[in-house]
């Protein structure tokens, strides 16, 4: 029995050495497994280095031009997100500028606003955002809405002061209850902390699935699948697949470990659980993605292009189904249950549980169970693989 295990290990290592030789002859594999993940990491972390976009082009139309409105404009100019560098004389000029894409939003104060407010005639001020550009418009909407609320409070303060209300009592009337905001897990509201921890693993997962199906499918394309199974693998499909994927497993796991060190130690992203659990999560994610690739090729045996296309489609859908852009609980019940078959969704849930919140791992049992089930999926295709190695020819 012990000799049989030693023989299997020797066969796995022999196939792995053969696979490393394939890497040397195919630079595209090295690019996908090493160069592309490093480039993606550096690109997205440098792109979101500031956390949030700031000084977004914003227009202003102040037809009233009173001391009160000028004070509001100064407040708006001090907001980090708003770049109030565009002034327009009329509403039409600001509208045309937004249609041309010169600004993402503009704030409009009509003539007589202050006079009507003091006379309690409820003047109207308005702001307009170009929601074609969703993120800039959403960020500016927050600032402009805040300013709109402050404008009403400013006028009320002036009115109360004119009526002789003591300054010490004015704020108690304007804001009887003071609200405190405590953003947990991401107190700086940094987009990079959220997006980089999902976009980078998401792209790496797609690369893992595609390279897995590619390396397996190449055996059919060059016609070596029979000799690989019967001569080098001793007729064992698990030995062949393990040997072919072992170098990729080691390389991709190293990529995940390097990303964790870069994000959590060098860039200082929050990590409540320490690096150990994140290293283990990266290893599990690699195995899960490879299992998806092996299963996908098991469905399309001999059809490398179909298997790669299926993996690419699954990877792209996982970006939407992960839940960091659109919440999964807001989806239909069927989609909520299907979301667990996407490795990126499981990665996101465990990452949020461990790195962001530092909760007990028991609360993440569902995504962990889903990962383990996905890892076991290739067992369903062992007989299909054995028949394919011996009888199925390459189908372009």
């Amino acid at each position: 029995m012990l000799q049989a295990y030693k023989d299997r290990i020797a066969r796995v290592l022999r196939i792995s050495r053969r696979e490393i030789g394939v890497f040397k002859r195919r630079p595209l594999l090295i690019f996908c497994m090493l160069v592309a993940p490093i480039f993606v990491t550096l690109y997205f972390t440098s792109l979101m280095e500031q956390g949030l976009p700031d000084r977004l082009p914003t227009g202003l139309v102040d037809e009233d031009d009173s001391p009160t409105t000028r004070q509001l404009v100064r407040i708006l100019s001090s907001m980090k997100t708003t770049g109030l560098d565009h002034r327009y004389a009329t509403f039409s000029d600001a509208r045309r500028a937004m249609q041309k894409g010169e600004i993402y939003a503009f704030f409009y104060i009509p003539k007589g606003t202050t006079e009507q407010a003091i006379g309690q005639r409820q003047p109207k001020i308005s702001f307009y955002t170009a929601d074609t550009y969703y993120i800039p418009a959403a960020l500016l909407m927050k600032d402009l809405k805040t300013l709109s609320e402050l404008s009403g409070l400013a006028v009320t303060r002036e009115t109360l002061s004119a009526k002789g209300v003591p300054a010490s009592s004015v704020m108690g009337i304007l804001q009887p209850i003071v609200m405190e905001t405590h953003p947990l897990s991401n107190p700086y509201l940094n987009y990079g902390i959220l997006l980089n921890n999902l976009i980078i693993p998401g792209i790496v997962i797609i690369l893992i699935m595609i390279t897995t199906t590619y390396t397996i499918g190449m055996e059919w394309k060059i016609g070596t699948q029979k000799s690989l199974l019967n001569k080098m693998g001793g007729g064992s499909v698990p030995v062949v697949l393990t040997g072919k994927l072992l170098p990729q497993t080691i390389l991709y796991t190293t990529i995940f470990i390097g990303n964790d060190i870069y994000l959590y130690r060098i860039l200082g992203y929050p990590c409540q659980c320490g690096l150990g659990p994140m290293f283990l999560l990266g290893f599990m994610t690699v195995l899960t993605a490879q299992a998806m690739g092996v299963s996908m090729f098991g469905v399309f045996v001999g059809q490398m292009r179909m298997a790669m296309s299926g993996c690419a489609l699954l990877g792209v859908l996982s970006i939407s189904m992960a839940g960091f852009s659109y919440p999964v609980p807001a989806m239909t019940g069927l989609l909520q249950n299907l979301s667990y078959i996407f490795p990126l969704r499981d990665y996101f849930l465990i990452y949020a549980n461990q790195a962001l919140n530092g909760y007990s791992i028991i609360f993440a049992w569902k995504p962990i169970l889903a990962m383990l089930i996905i890892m076991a999926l290739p067992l369903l295709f062992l007989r299909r693989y054995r028949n394919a190695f011996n009888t199925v020819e390459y189908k372009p």
Side-chain angles (χ1 to χ4, degrees), residues 67-253:
T68 301
T69 59
R70 286 196 293 271
Q71 182 180 3
L72 293 175
V73 172
R74 286 194 295 270
I75 295 174
L76 183 61
S77 300
S78 66
M79 294 181 175
K80 183 179 179 181
T81 305
T82 306
L84 200 63
D85 300 325
H86 301 75
R87 306 292 179 96
Y88 301 96
T90 64
F91 176 89
S92 299
D93 293 339
R95 178 176 57 82
R96 280 193 294 269
M98 190 163 68
Q99 290 174 337
K100 292 178 182 179
E102 297 175 359
I103 56 176
Y104 293 115
F106 69 90
F107 196 76
Y108 176 61
I109 305 175
K111 187 175 180 60
T113 296
T114 304
E115 181 182 354
Q116 293 180 34
I118 294 176
Q120 299 182 352
R121 294 195 297 271
Q122 289 187 319
K124 293 182 180 180
I125 59 176
S126 54
F127 57 88
Y128 300 82
T129 57
D131 277 33
T132 306
Y133 311 97
Y134 180 73
I135 292 180
L139 294 174
L140 289 174
M141 166 100 45
K142 178 182 176 182
D143 283 359
L144 296 176
K145 184 177 180 181
T146 301
L147 182 66
S148 300
E149 295 170 351
L150 289 176
S151 62
L153 294 177
V155 172
T156 304
R157 183 185 62 184
E158 296 296 332
T159 302
L160 292 174
S161 299
K163 292 183 178 180
V165 178
S168 58
S169 302
V170 170
M171 289 308 299
I173 297 173
L174 295 178
Q175 194 176 16
I177 300 177
V178 178
M179 303 298 294
E180 292 186 358
T181 302
H182 300 280
L184 301 178
S185 304
N186 188 2
Y188 301 105
L189 301 179
N190 188 327
Y191 271 30
I193 291 175
L194 175 64
L195 297 181
N196 287 335
N197 280 285
L198 273 300
I199 292 179
I200 295 172
I203 295 176
V204 175
I205 287 171
I206 295 175
L207 291 173
I208 293 172
M209 292 191 294
I210 291 177
T211 53
T212 297
T213 54
Y214 176 80
T215 52
I216 296 174
M218 281 303 298
E219 300 296 336
W220 272 262
K221 187 172 182 178
I222 61 180
T224 58
Q225 73 276 17
K226 292 181 182 179
S227 61
L228 177 65
L229 175 67
N230 298 314
K231 293 181 180 180
M232 298 192 70
S236 173
V237 174
V239 168
V240 171
L241 295 179
T242 302
K244 284 190 67 66
L245 298 180
L246 181 59
Q248 294 188 30
T249 304
I250 296 173
L251 185 56
Y252 279 121
T253 302

Side-chain angles (χ1 to χ4, degrees), residues 5 7-9 11-13 15-16 216 228-230 232-246 249 294 375-376 378-387 389:
Y5 282 118
D7 180 64
R8 288 193 174 190
I9 293 174
R11 290 180 182 275
V12 167
L13 295 178
I15 294 173
S16 295
I216 296 174
L228 177 65
L229 175 67
N230 298 314
M232 298 192 70
S236 173
V237 174
V239 168
V240 171
L241 295 179
T242 302
K244 284 190 67 66
L245 298 180
L246 181 59
T249 304
V294 171
M375 290 180 200
L379 297 177
L380 300 176
F381 298 93
L382 289 181
R383 180 177 297 180
R384 187 174 174 86
Y385 262 102
R386 187 174 294 107
N387 294 333
F389 270 108

